[in-house]
Amino acid sequence: MRIIRYLQKQSQKLSLGAITDQGYIYSLPYNNYLELVEQAKKRTIKTANLLSELINDSLPLNEQLEELELAVPIESPEVWAAGVTYQKSKEARNYEATNGKLDATTFYDKVYDAERPEIFLKSTKDRTMGPNEELFLRSDSNWQIPEPELGLVLSSDGEIIGYTIGNDLSCRDIEGENPLYLPQAKVWARSCSIGPAILPADMVSDPYKFNIHCSIFRNEKLLFEGNANTSQLKRRYEELVHYLKRDNILFPGTVLLTGTCIVPPNEFTLADGDRVEIEISGIGILNNVVKVQVNQAVS
Ligand code: DO4
Ligand code: MG
């Protein structure tokens, strides 16, 4: 069972919904995912049991998932991200930082092995898009890629309360020029998406067994696809959350992206109109088209 937010056609209001494994969709009597988790906690029952009760007492919608207008599954005040948590990402970062002429240990080698992980602020509520919404490409980058990542949905005390999918859209040339440019390589309008659903944490038996699949289409022709599995992650989720929490405030519903393990070939860059699909087993498919912003000001 997964949790979505969708626009109710009649009322034009956003609703919380649950999709069963058979594809039936039920409207839920809560305003957001945090309220659902809170209610299960209050009653000291699992989210799964609360959802079963709610569903047994109601009828499914007449619509299929594809017919609904989906919104971000949670209005996350902040999206943070961990970096260089997979060997593949370390290799890609080394390539872009050295033009493929690696001859010494880099910051990326060090952070991959260090006790302290790399964690950065990726996005805020207004920069974070939902399923099927457009993402923007940066006007001053010629080397941009999606980063398909598992997202941890967190409570204010750092408990992992759900899993979602995130796209940490990134500029390889800007970060490769100088790692101090990281915020510009990572954060701009519409540079992040999450969704399409949240899988409640208490329904997941092993979160190190998620399959991640990414496909990029140009004019609906498949240009690239790649696979990974969260078993390849160098760190534990608790370790990433521990460093994010340390001396910090966590807003309820913060999302922490856990790093990428899928990197398109080095000669690949996203172009206006490309469509990116990121699928994680049990969570769904996050679909976004990337666009060059109209009226971009480049001096
Ligand atoms: O060091 C830059 C960030 C890398 C990253 O975002 C990732 O590994 O996913
Ligand atoms: Mg990333």
Side-chain angles (χ1 to χ4, degrees), residues 227-238:
N227 285 298
N229 188 281
T230 52
S231 60
Q232 296 163 274
L233 187 70
K234 168 83 188 311
R235 301 184 183 261
R236 308 302 286 176
Y237 302 126
E238 286 68 25

Side-chain angles (χ1 to χ4, degrees), residues 81-84 89 93 120 147-149 168-170 186 257-260:
V84 199
S89 175
R93 307 292 78 83
F120 56 93
E147 290 193 355
E149 307 190 9
D168 169 21
L169 202 59
S170 300
K186 294 290 189 179
L257 305 182
T258 52
T260 190

Side-chain angles (χ1 to χ4, degrees), residues 179-215:
L180 295 178
Y181 293 150
L182 186 78
Q184 295 172 76
K186 294 290 189 179
V187 186
W188 64 95
R190 292 178 177 249
S191 65
C192 180
S193 59
I194 59 170
I198 297 174
L199 182 58
D202 59 17
M203 292 185 181
V204 178
S205 54
D206 186 350
Y208 297 93
K209 281 194 177 151
F210 283 116
N211 283 317
I212 307 178
H213 182 83
C214 178
S215 316

Side-chain angles (χ1 to χ4, degrees), residues 18-19 24 32 37 55 67 87 91 108 110 118 128 132 147 161 207-209 212 229 271 282 298:
I19 320 174
Y24 294 109
N32 56 54
V37 172
I55 280 171
E67 298 170 89
Q87 171 86 19
E91 289 165 6
Y108 300 110
K110 286 185 188 160
E118 177 196 2
T128 306
N132 308 318
E147 290 193 355
I161 55 174
Y208 297 93
K209 281 194 177 151
I212 307 178
N229 188 281
V298 184

Side-chain angles (χ1 to χ4, degrees), residues 11-289:
S11 66
Q12 288 292 296
K13 283 194 184 137
L14 284 171
S15 279
L16 197 69
I19 320 174
T20 64
D21 296 345
Q22 294 71 36
Y24 294 109
I25 302 167
Y26 293 82
S27 172
L28 297 175
Y30 303 108
N31 290 313
N32 56 54
Y33 183 66
L34 297 171
E35 283 186 16
L36 171 78
V37 172
E38 192 57 45
Q39 182 62 20
K41 272 223 165 89
K42 222 187 242 167
R43 293 187 44 202
T44 57
I45 57 172
K46 287 192 154 203
T47 317
N49 296 344
L50 176 58
L51 286 169
S52 299
E53 274 181 23
L54 292 165
I55 280 171
N56 287 340
D57 287 348
S58 56
L59 286 173
L61 308 186
N62 280 325
E63 286 122 319
Q64 307 283 308
L65 184 62
E66 305 71 50
E67 298 170 89
L68 293 182
E69 196 175 320
L70 295 178
V72 270
I74 187 158
E75 290 196 344
S76 189
E78 293 180 344
V79 177
W80 291 75
V84 199
T85 49
Y86 290 90
Q87 171 86 19
K88 187 97 183 205
S89 175
K90 183 181 83 163
E91 289 165 6
R93 307 292 78 83
N94 276 336
Y95 182 91
E96 69 216 18
T98 62
N99 294 318
K101 298 186 187 80
L102 181 66
D103 59 3
T105 304
T106 64
F107 290 115
Y108 300 110
D109 296 313
K110 286 185 188 160
V111 83
Y112 185 73
D113 291 320
E115 188 180 331
R116 183 194 292 273
E118 177 196 2
I119 293 182
F120 56 93
L121 183 63
K122 167 65 191 178
S123 190
T124 51
K125 181 170 95 50
D126 292 336
R127 294 187 177 87
T128 306
M129 300 296 114
N132 308 318
E133 288 191 291
E134 284 179 359
L135 300 183
F136 285 162
L137 293 172
R138 262 195 94 107
S139 61
D140 55 359
S141 167
N142 294 312
W143 195 11
Q144 302 188 66
I145 54 162
E147 290 193 355
E149 307 190 9
L150 177 74
L152 311 176
V153 182
L154 303 175
S155 70
S156 56
D157 54 11
E159 186 192 344
I160 299 169
I161 55 174
Y163 298 93
T164 190
I165 305 173
N167 185 348
D168 169 21
L169 202 59
S170 300
C171 302
R172 295 186 71 180
D173 47 358
I174 297 179
E175 181 177 348
E177 186 179 341
N178 189 323
L180 295 178
Y181 293 150
L182 186 78
Q184 295 172 76
K186 294 290 189 179
V187 186
W188 64 95
R190 292 178 177 249
S191 65
C192 180
S193 59
I194 59 170
I198 297 174
L199 182 58
D202 59 17
M203 292 185 181
V204 178
S205 54
D206 186 350
Y208 297 93
K209 281 194 177 151
F210 283 116
N211 283 317
I212 307 178
H213 182 83
C214 178
S215 316
I216 305 174
F217 300 89
R218 188 162 294 164
N219 302 320
E220 284 313 309
K221 213 175 123 224
L222 183 67
L223 265 193
F224 165 79
E225 63 181 335
N227 285 298
N229 188 281
T230 52
S231 60
Q232 296 163 274
L233 187 70
K234 168 83 188 311
R235 301 184 183 261
R236 308 302 286 176
Y237 302 126
E238 286 68 25
E239 188 187 337
L240 300 175
V241 174
H242 167 80
Y243 276 95
L244 172 60
K245 247 179 77 178
R246 190 182 270 187
D247 296 323
N248 197 5
I249 303 171
L250 276 192
F251 300 105
T254 291
V255 169
L256 174 58
L257 305 182
T258 52
T260 190
C261 186
I262 299 177
V263 183
N266 291 326
E267 50 289 352
F268 176 85
T269 187
L270 286 167
D272 187 45
D274 285 355
R275 189 168 68 79
V276 179
E277 273 188 12
I278 305 172
E279 179 167 16
I280 299 190
S281 47
I283 306 180
I285 301 176
L286 176 61
N287 176 67
N288 298 100
V289 170

